[in-house]
Amino acid sequence: MWIAEFAREAGVKQTTVRHYLREGLLPRRVGLHGGSRPYLEFTDADVRLLSAIQAGQALGMSLDEIKLLIAEQRSGNGRARMLESMILQRDKLRDRARELRTMLAFLDQKIAWLESGAQGQPPAHGGGVRGKKSALQGGSADQRASPKPMRPAPRQSQERRR
């Protein structure tokens, strides 16, 4: 099948297919049709490969990590490397899920505090997002301070806009 049909069957745009070709994720097979600019041809196996690429991306893997797994699979060492990679990715996702649960709990508390009229102390964030420790984890006073309100962007004068 040619690129338009392949993209349609895989459920992606042709630009995505071309990007994966440039990145070396999909094999480049040139067909016999097309004269000086031959058509690229794809198989059902390529559709399955593209699906696996998208699954890897959905799991948070980079294209370089996916490319490495594809190369390992083609060399015959793929199963052990894929298992190792999947375990590592699962651990990263579990860590991220813990961070997200902590952030959600804080937001729920903050919303409840605001809805009740913002009486008393605001809830303390118990998260440790991006390596910073919170008050609950023994972080510094600077890290425990409430976030500063965002300042509006400076307004441009009428003369500067013209």
Side-chain angles (χ1 to χ4, degrees):
M1 71 186 88
W2 296 339
I3 193 167
E5 182 184 354
F6 174 69
R8 196 171 32 258
E9 188 166 323
V12 299
K13 295 180 180 181
Q14 289 182 39
T15 54
T16 301
V17 174
R18 288 188 181 98
H19 177 70
Y20 290 164
L21 286 165
R22 278 191 308 275
E23 293 292 324
L25 293 161
L26 289 172
R28 185 178 289 273
R29 280 187 226 84
V30 178
L32 301 175
H33 303 285
S36 64
R37 194 161 179 218
Y39 289 104
L40 296 172
E41 291 186 351
F42 300 92
T43 65
D44 289 335
D46 295 327
V47 174
R48 289 188 299 275
L49 177 57
L50 192 140
S51 179
I53 292 166
Q54 290 182 308
Q57 285 187 294
L59 290 172
M61 301 174 95
S62 71
L63 291 181
D64 285 338
E65 290 170 320
I66 295 168
K67 191 186 311 185
L68 177 64
L69 287 176
I70 291 169
E72 291 285 334
Q73 185 70 28
R74 287 181 180 148
S75 72
N77 301 324
R79 180 169 284 157
R81 177 70 178 114
M82 186 169 290
L83 176 61
E84 177 186 322
S85 181
M86 292 291 126
I87 289 170
L88 180 64
Q89 197 63 28
R90 180 193 62 195
D91 293 345
K92 286 180 189 177
L93 289 173
R94 282 185 176 157
D95 289 344
R96 183 68 179 142
R98 274 191 291 276
E99 287 179 3
L100 290 172
R101 280 192 300 274
T102 300
M103 286 187 252
L104 282 170
F106 169 72
L107 284 173
D108 288 341
Q109 292 171 3
K110 188 76 167 191
I111 289 168
W113 178 75
L114 290 167
E115 288 176 339
S116 69
Q119 300 298 315
Q121 287 287 86
H125 185 278
V129 178
R130 307 229 188 267
K132 293 184 179 181
K133 289 187 176 182
S134 70
L136 298 176
Q137 297 171 316
S140 71
D142 291 343
Q143 291 170 336
R144 290 191 304 261
S146 297
K148 294 180 178 140
M150 293 179 59
R151 283 188 246 148
R155 298 183 79 190
Q156 293 180 342
S157 69
Q158 290 284 58
E159 293 174 13
R160 288 181 68 191
R161 281 189 233 159
R162 292 180 192 190

